[in-house]
Amino acid sequence: MKVVVVGTGYVGLVTGVVLSYIGHTVTCIDIDTAKVEQLKSGKSPIYEPGLEELMAICFESRRLEFSPDYGCVKTADVIFITVGTPSLPGGNVDLSYIKSAATEIGRNLDGDRFQAVINKSTVPVGSGNWVEMLVSQGIQNGAKVAVTVAGGHALSGNGTRSVANKHNFAVVSNPEFLREGSAVYDSFFPDRIVIGTNDKQAQEMMRDLYAPLLDQSFTLPAFLCVNEDRAGAVPLLITDVASAEMIKYAANSFLATKISFANEIASICESVGADVTEVMRGVGLDRRIGMSFLNAGVGWGGSCFGKDLSALVATAEEYLLSPTMLSAARQVNMAQRRVAIKKLQSALKIIKGRTIGLLGLAFKPNTDDVRDAPSLDIAQHLIALGAMVKAYDPVAEESCRRARPDLEINYCPSVEEVASDCDALVIVTEWEEFRSLKLSKLRELMRTPVIIDGRNILDATAAREEGFEYHGIGKC
Ligand code: NAD
């Protein structure tokens, strides 16, 4: 199939490359021309394990192109929208990128044959209808055709087509569940594929598009290993548009709530002298609950949880509902980001004039994404309290500098340089290399041997035996 992907961020780029790899001819469009040039040269603007290797394979097969131009939409069978949907200050979603993408797609649709416009961006419930309207307006503005949209009403362009020629395009919701840091893997081995449309032709098209993933018949790239639990066909869930849009918000809200739950339990554990790691292991071994997303720490972050929770709260409030549990999950998370500061205050008493080292800036390991990362909040707070902040992250330094040029962080090239003359280290991101820190060496380098393990990844006893004052989250 001919596929166009509009927006080459974490979702669009990975989606485009994986669809190309499984046999489709893909053009990825982005309005950021510098990004397009970089992609044309085979370099990924984001850090995502396996992505550049996969891009190289797709370039060789000549099934992958990048362009700033929407002209390729005309010959496409399916057009994905994967542009950003950031939060507005009040929690509502900024849909301006969706609006311009949908309108441009409309201007460039063929009109003579059926095409599917797939919304993969996370958008509030009801956006499917709105995108349909925008695409239709784009068609009208392009003055190309008269078209009847799927399930909708006839729209007149310049009258070159009869209104009897229906269903020239349909809008499909196809939410994305990939995790940054394992996005390539997740795209090959999704837990499920959700398709939201009542249009039968679009449903068939989506089945064909995803067939190699649904029946897992693709040849695995040499650099990827399959976890045993991922074997077997992938479930396909076909729903109406609103339900598909809602599934994405509900899933992210549940995951964020699960972490906030673990963090709330962690605070109680600290007070009563229990160990949250042991508690959550005991809880998660219950198959009805599961082990994942029960790690206590300095809180969740990233481009999705915060904005998706806020958007769902805003939608609920539009309908005069009070989503108490969702609001509480956000509240717990904001409080959790202060826990590291409180622990530093308790250990060092005075923060002013201290040097604090942050280990990790990315909101989670294996990504360079710092959007809504707890590290930014913690650094900002410490600087405001008069501390000097040093930081090391294996890949996220550049994106942090770009995202927050205002933050006066002293970026270091290694853990050792962060530790040097430091009064305390805070583990903010659970990068693999931080699990095996050379504690005796760090102890020698530091001014005061304090470690706040914001992700509970170190062995507390070993750290204390090396002479550290060690504080985890939710444990004594
Ligand atoms: P991103 O900000 O990394 O990338 C968006 C890209 O779209 C940018 O490269 C931008 O230049 C481009 N763009 C903006 N307007 C455009 C236009 N009119 N035409 C062409 N290109 C345009 O965003 P992302 O993290 O990939 O997220 C995209 C969507 O997917 C969001 O709705 C997000 O909520 C959702 N999502 C993200 C993740 C994730 O882990 N990042 C996971 C699931 C879903």
Side-chain angles (χ1 to χ4, degrees):
M1 275 187 184
K2 279 196 170 177
V3 177
V4 164
V5 179
V6 178
T8 61
Y10 288 85
V11 168
L13 182 55
V14 176
T15 300
V17 173
V18 169
L19 287 175
S20 161
Y21 179 84
I22 63 171
H24 302 295
T25 304
V26 179
T27 306
C28 298
I29 302 175
D30 207 290
I31 44 169
D32 182 339
T33 49
K35 204 180 235 190
V36 170
E37 285 313 309
Q38 187 178 345
L39 286 163
K40 279 181 176 172
S41 74
K43 292 252 173 302
S44 168
I46 54 168
Y47 175 79
E48 196 55 56
L51 185 56
E52 277 189 1
E53 290 93 317
L54 209 59
M55 280 170 70
I57 298 171
C58 296
F59 276 138
E60 209 162 293
S61 69
R62 298 182 178 279
R63 286 197 307 264
L64 180 65
E65 284 183 6
F66 296 95
S67 170
D69 183 1
Y70 276 76
C72 51
V73 164
K74 187 173 171 59
T75 55
D77 301 303
V78 300
I79 303 106
F80 279 91
I81 300 178
T82 55
V83 298
T85 49
S87 273
L88 289 167
N92 278 309
V93 180
D94 176 357
L95 290 168
S96 58
Y97 302 104
I98 296 276
K99 185 174 181 186
S100 71
T103 309
E104 271 312 303
I105 289 168
R107 278 182 207 277
N108 288 278
L109 279 183
D110 182 340
D112 284 333
R113 50 191 189 91
F114 182 81
Q115 290 170 289
V117 177
I118 320 296
N119 202 355
K120 204 176 240 319
S121 294
T122 305
V123 288
V125 180
S127 299
N129 289 354
W130 182 68
V131 166
E132 197 170 271
M133 181 192 81
L134 292 168
V135 173
S136 304
Q137 283 172 354
I139 293 172
Q140 282 180 304
N141 293 343
K144 284 183 183 164
V145 289
V147 59
T148 299
V149 295
H153 46 278
L155 300 165
S156 301
N158 64 3
T160 54
R161 296 213 27 176
S162 83
V163 282
N165 190 347
K166 292 186 174 182
H167 303 302
N168 279 330
F169 80 90
V171 173
V172 178
S173 169
N174 173 216
E176 180 54 59
F177 303 98
L178 61 75
R179 297 163 299 173
E180 285 178 24
S182 51
V184 170
Y185 184 89
D186 291 348
S187 299
F188 279 111
F189 303 105
D191 286 339
R192 73 299 209 188
I193 292 178
V194 175
I195 304 295
T197 178
N198 294 324
D199 186 285
K200 296 284 175 228
Q201 201 172 349
Q203 287 175 9
E204 281 318 304
M205 228 172 188
M206 296 304 284
R207 264 187 226 275
D208 289 348
L209 180 81
Y210 282 125
L213 297 179
L214 289 169
D215 55 24
Q216 294 281 287
S217 58
F218 56 86
T219 309
L220 194 66
F223 58 85
L224 265 190
C225 303
V226 200
N227 296 340
E228 273 173 25
D229 63 334
R230 292 295 179 120
V234 171
L236 174 68
L237 187 59
I238 296 182
T239 70
D240 57 277
V241 177
S243 300
E245 290 169 342
M246 194 63 199
I247 286 168
K248 175 65 191 172
Y249 281 106
N252 268 0
S253 299
F254 183 73
L255 293 173
T257 305
K258 219 176 160 190
I259 298 173
S260 282
F261 171 81
N263 282 331
E264 183 135 42
I265 296 293
S267 306
I268 305 173
C269 282
E270 269 184 37
S271 296
V272 301
D275 180 333
V276 74
T277 307
E278 293 304 308
V279 171
M280 284 306 148
R281 189 174 299 143
V283 170
L285 281 169
D286 186 327
R287 283 168 214 260
R288 295 168 302 175
I289 297 171
M291 294 296 285
S292 55
F293 287 76
L294 285 181
N295 295 329
V298 289
W300 42 262
S303 68
C304 293
F305 281 4
K307 88 172 168 65
D308 292 352
L309 257 178
S310 297
L312 191 53
V313 168
T315 300
E317 286 171 349
E318 268 177 32
Y319 287 82
L320 307 180
L321 300 167
S322 309
T324 319
M325 221 168 74
L326 302 181
S327 303
R330 275 193 310 179
Q331 234 174 303
V332 169
N333 195 53
M334 291 327 289
Q336 202 62 21
R337 292 183 179 190
R338 298 281 174 263
V339 164
I341 310 283
K342 284 187 192 156
K343 286 180 186 286
L344 284 169
Q345 285 172 328
S346 153
L348 300 173
K349 306 302 174 206
I350 304 294
I351 298 295
K352 224 179 273 302
R354 300 283 197 174
T355 300
I356 312 293
L358 303 186
L359 298 186
L361 294 163
F363 83 94
K364 68 173 184 177
N366 297 322
T367 181
D368 59 351
D369 200 342
V370 296
R371 288 179 283 186
D372 196 25
S375 62
L376 304 179
D377 249 16
I378 293 170
Q380 182 167 326
H381 203 107
L382 287 171
I383 292 166
L385 290 175
M388 204 250 266
V389 173
K390 296 165 97 178
Y392 163 71
D393 187 287
V395 301
E397 179 183 326
E398 260 325 294
S399 47
C400 195
R401 282 182 189 275
R402 260 197 320 271
R404 292 298 302 270
D406 58 310
L407 278 185
E408 285 180 24
I409 296 175
N410 292 290
Y411 295 98
C412 300
S414 67
V415 174
E416 285 73 22
E417 293 214 22
V418 171
S420 190
D421 292 326
C422 222
D423 291 299
L425 285 176
V426 184
I427 299 177
V428 188
T429 314
E430 63 273 40
W431 282 99
E432 202 51 41
E433 69 173 273
F434 300 156
R435 291 180 189 272
S436 49
L437 294 174
K438 294 190 179 65
L439 291 173
S440 56
K441 173 83 181 145
L442 299 184
R443 168 82 186 80
E444 280 168 26
L445 293 169
M446 290 176 69
R447 204 150 47 198
T448 332
V450 173
I451 287 189
I452 310 298
D453 184 357
R455 297 295 176 187
N456 288 343
I457 57 174
L458 297 185
D459 178 335
T461 311
R464 287 180 182 133
E465 277 172 7
E466 288 293 350
F468 278 94
E469 180 178 339
Y470 171 92
H471 299 279
I473 306 286
K475 48 182 73 190
C476 299

